[in-house]
Amino acid sequence: MEESIHIDLFYAEKTEQLKRLVCDIGKRMWERGYVDGNGGNISVRLSKECVLCTPTYMSKGRMQSSDLCMVDLGGKQLAGDRRITSEIKTHLAILRKNANAGGCVHAHPPYTTSYAVCGQLPPLGAMAEAEIFLGDIGLVPYATPGSPLIVQYVEELSVGRTALLMQGHGAITWAASVEEAYWKMENLETYCEIMHLVACRKDTLVPFTLEQRRELSALRKKFES
C-alpha cells in the first residue's frame, strides 16, 4: 500500500512538471559551466517524507524526466530506474533541518569554487544584491563528499542560511522552491566573480556599515516572508 502511494506521487502530474523543471535547471547549470562531467545535484521536496532528486553518474545537461529518482528523508530510494547519488545526503540534511527549504542545488561554479578550494569565503557585506538574496554564507570544513561528517557539517551550518561553500568541493544553495535555489547559485557565482575582479585589481573594497547591513537584512526578510 505504501509503495503504491509512493509510485502514485512519483508519477503525479505535479511531480512530472517538477521533473521537467529539474532537467531544465540541470541544462542551465551545464550551459553556464557550473557543472562538468557528471557533477552537481538537484533535489526538490515533494511531500513531508519524499524528495525528488537527480541520479548519480549522469551529465546534468543531458537529463530527461525518466532519469530522475525519489528518496525518503532518510535517503532510501523509493522510485526511479537509475541509482541515487551518495551526495543526496547533504541535500536531505538541509531539508530535514530547514522546514522552509523546498529545493536544493549543488554545483561547482568556477569563481565560487575557487574560494572553496582555498578554504575561504568571499568578502561579505559589500554588494546589496548579495546581502538581500544570499545573506550570511557559511563555509563547510572539508570532509569526503557523501560521508557522514560532511552531512553533519552541512546540517549544523545550514541553519539561518541559504548558501554554503564546501571546502575543496563546491557550493550548495537552497530556497522555498528549486527555481529560487538555482537563482541563489547564480547570485553566489556572480558575487564571487565580482569579488575576484576586485582582488585582481588590487583595489580597495568599500564594505557596508553594520547599520546598512541591518537595513539590507530587513529587505531580505521581506522577500522571504
Side-chain angles (χ1 to χ4, degrees), residues 128 131-133 135 210-225:
E131 291 292 296
I132 294 170
F133 297 118
L210 181 60
E211 182 57 32
Q212 288 169 334
R213 291 197 77 183
R214 285 173 177 163
E215 290 172 355
L216 291 168
S217 178
L219 282 176
R220 183 171 70 253
K221 289 177 182 177
K222 286 184 179 179
F223 277 99
E224 293 173 349
S225 62

Side-chain angles (χ1 to χ4, degrees), residues 91-145:
H91 294 235
L92 298 176
I94 290 167
L95 295 173
R96 286 194 302 265
K97 199 72 173 181
N98 300 270
N100 60 337
C104 300
V105 171
H106 163 57
H108 315 125
Y111 289 97
T112 300
T113 304
S114 73
Y115 281 100
V117 297
C118 294
Q120 299 175 0
L121 289 173
L124 303 178
M127 184 175 170
E129 287 77 9
E131 291 292 296
I132 294 170
F133 297 118
L134 295 171
D136 183 47
I137 303 166
L139 178 63
V140 179
Y142 178 75
T144 304

Side-chain angles (χ1 to χ4, degrees), residues 49-218:
E49 293 295 332
C50 298
V51 177
L52 183 70
C53 64
T54 51
T56 190
Y57 213 70
M58 185 169 194
S59 168
K60 301 308 168 292
R62 300 294 297 274
M63 291 187 304
Q64 298 182 19
S65 295
S66 58
D67 296 315
L68 301 189
C69 309
M70 187 171 72
V71 297
D72 65 20
L73 283 175
K76 178 184 177 182
Q77 185 161 353
L78 302 174
D81 296 328
R82 290 184 175 271
R83 289 190 299 114
I84 59 172
T85 171
S86 62
E87 291 193 29
I88 188 61
K89 296 172 185 175
T90 56
H91 294 235
L92 298 176
I94 290 167
L95 295 173
R96 286 194 302 265
K97 199 72 173 181
N98 300 270
N100 60 337
C104 300
V105 171
H106 163 57
H108 315 125
Y111 289 97
T112 300
T113 304
S114 73
Y115 281 100
V117 297
C118 294
Q120 299 175 0
L121 289 173
L124 303 178
M127 184 175 170
E129 287 77 9
E131 291 292 296
I132 294 170
F133 297 118
L134 295 171
D136 183 47
I137 303 166
L139 178 63
V140 179
Y142 178 75
T144 304
S147 69
L149 186 56
I150 197 167
V151 171
Q152 177 187 333
Y153 287 152
V154 167
E155 186 172 35
E156 292 172 353
L157 289 167
S158 69
V159 179
R161 297 185 171 98
T162 58
L164 295 174
L165 268 63
M166 295 181 281
Q167 184 176 340
H169 192 181
I172 188 165
T173 54
W174 59 97
S177 72
V178 68
E179 180 73 49
E180 291 177 68
Y182 170 70
W183 292 346
K184 288 183 184 293
M185 188 64 72
E186 286 193 354
N187 297 150
L188 180 60
E189 176 67 351
T190 296
Y191 186 68
C192 287
E193 182 177 3
I194 290 168
M195 292 302 103
H196 169 80
L197 291 172
V198 171
C200 287
R201 284 170 43 186
K202 298 182 180 179
D203 216 335
T204 301
L205 194 68
V206 181
F208 295 129
T209 65
L210 181 60
E211 182 57 32
Q212 288 169 334
R213 291 197 77 183
R214 285 173 177 163
E215 290 172 355
L216 291 168
S217 178

